[in-house]
Amino acid sequence: MSTSNEPSFRESVDIMFNRAVALLDLPPGLEEKIRVCNATYTVRFGVRLRGKIETFTGYRSVHSEHMEPVKGGIRYSMGVNQDEVEALAALMTYKCALVETPFGGSKGGLCIDPREYEEHELELITRRFAYELAKRDLINPSQNVPAPDMGTGEREMAWIADQYRRMNTTDINGAACVTGKPINAGGIHGRTEATGRGVQYALREFFRHSEDVKIAGLTGKLDGKRVVVQGLGNVGYHAAKFLTDEDGAIVTGIIERDGALISDDGLDIDAVHAWIRKHGGVANYPNAEFVENGASVLEKECDILIPAAMEGVIDMTNADQIKAPLIIEAANGPVTAGADEILRKKGCVIIPDMYANAGGVTVSYFEWVKNLSHIRFGRMQRRQEEARHQLVVDELERLDRYMGDAWSMTPDFKAKYLKGADELELVRSGLDDTMRQAYQDMRALWHDRDDVDDLRTAAYLVAITRVAGSYRAKGL
Ligand code: NAD
């Protein structure tokens, strides 16, 4: 619930941008050029459904073309409007610069509640929307490449790719017109999990720096940390699952549309996820306490709060009640500019959206490269790598025989060492490297500059400096 002096989502992004850009010495006018959204296309189209024509409104916003193609998801939600799409497109510009993916920023949205439609109806609507965008080059492998976002996934991306190819039958790079596709339609292993996986890698990197952990008033590693997650969709589910299964974190709260579940012993992520899929919400889930006012659980005592649903959920009305010392913004824009100020004053550390959820665009970049190179990652090297490892293992086995009982290989060393990396391992490795590097770029400014006292400002500074560099190189 926002108050009247709460800025809109786009204003929030601009306020955060302005706070950071004031610390840079950019040539006159360049600041404005970077901040403004280049263009937003609005389309209204009709689709014949259930015996009558229904009109839909969609948007595709291009924030910055300092690099092309521009990149950004397509969202299906009733909340979609021009302000939201432009804010998300701006965030994409900064996000791509921060994680060094060679794209400008874009975003799209369709004002629709996908749960109200049958699959074949959604296909008709998606194909028509894709047609409207593709014919204006707002879907195009070299100019504008969408991806999934709230309310869309692999299925919609496959329809979009197919629609583009029907319209461009001789474009050999057609598959690269959209990312987040299923494997059998040119996708890449690890894309669906990528954003949640990136949240995990971001937290792991944060916890590698004990100095930063201390600023948040925490100690130790992720093991045993109490986590509250809002939104158990694509991003929230994967983040929660990996943090509990692989890092020993305990999810004590899950907030969904219809309420929240809490359990101090920890919630079973897969069981809750399966329950939501079957029943459409968390109500009546048997092994936890149900809280009808879900948003109130954002204020629950915990170590890490992961808003992974939508924007503006932490605003000036509830920021003061938030108890988590560390917030990682898995969603885009979950903390308004007003709330950000209140939380910073309280000493809460916020790992900002443009970094925290950049795993999606990072793996989308890998998928786009895979599509353009027409070959799966690892296909050429994998067996050669295994053959070289075999040489070492043969030599170690020879030593083993020679040394007798004095030395032997650990039992599973051979199997682990021999195995060459497959696409999923390479994708995860590339993602981990990206998340680590971007965190280090942000934290260097956070710690080195006296006028930078939060990670968000640091993230904007890294991003704006890179975008400004591209504009300068173009002679602007
Ligand atoms: P999704 O549609 O898969 O999941 C969203 C989840 O949030 C759903 O489970 C939904 O029921 C829940 N939800 C919606 N409104 C809620 C509310 N008011 N309170 C509590 N829960 C609510 O969407 P997603 O792809 O996981 O995206 C979530 C956020 O992450 C968005 O802000 C999106 O922009 C951002 N994001 C997504 C990706 C991606 O790769 N999918 C990448 C970067 C950022």
Side-chain angles (χ1 to χ4, degrees), residues 71 101 179-180 188-195 197 358-369 377 427-428 430-431:
K71 190 101 189 64
T101 52
T179 57
I188 193 167
H189 288 99
R191 174 60 184 88
T192 304
E193 66 167 46
T195 311
R197 182 64 80 184
V361 76
T362 302
V363 177
S364 275
Y365 168 44
F366 302 154
E367 179 176 334
W368 181 72
V369 170
F377 287 105
V427 162
R428 286 180 180 161
L431 175 59

Side-chain angles (χ1 to χ4, degrees), residues 144-177:
N144 198 323
V145 183
D149 193 75
M150 193 198 283
T152 60
E154 284 193 340
R155 184 182 64 176
E156 288 73 16
M157 301 307 115
W159 292 330
I160 292 173
D162 187 63
Q163 185 63 34
Y164 177 86
R165 291 174 110 159
R166 286 187 189 182
M167 296 165 69
N168 299 274
T169 49
T170 55
D171 184 348
I172 196 171
N173 292 320
C177 75

Side-chain angles (χ1 to χ4, degrees), residues 376-428:
R376 147 184 111 232
F377 287 105
R379 182 161 176 183
M380 303 291 278
Q381 307 91 329
R382 184 173 174 186
R383 302 301 167 194
Q384 190 262 358
E385 191 188 333
E386 288 183 1
R388 287 173 69 88
H389 286 184
Q390 185 69 54
L391 284 177
V392 177
V393 166
D394 289 347
E395 200 58 19
L396 287 174
E397 280 181 333
R398 197 178 63 76
L399 263 176
D400 201 358
R401 284 193 296 276
Y402 176 72
M403 301 279 284
D405 286 344
W407 182 86
S408 67
M409 277 188 271
T410 11
D412 59 350
F413 166 79
K414 191 170 152 184
K416 274 196 196 155
Y417 186 68
L418 274 181
K419 189 177 164 295
D422 60 18
E423 186 174 78
L424 182 60
E425 286 169 272
L426 291 169
V427 162
R428 286 180 180 161

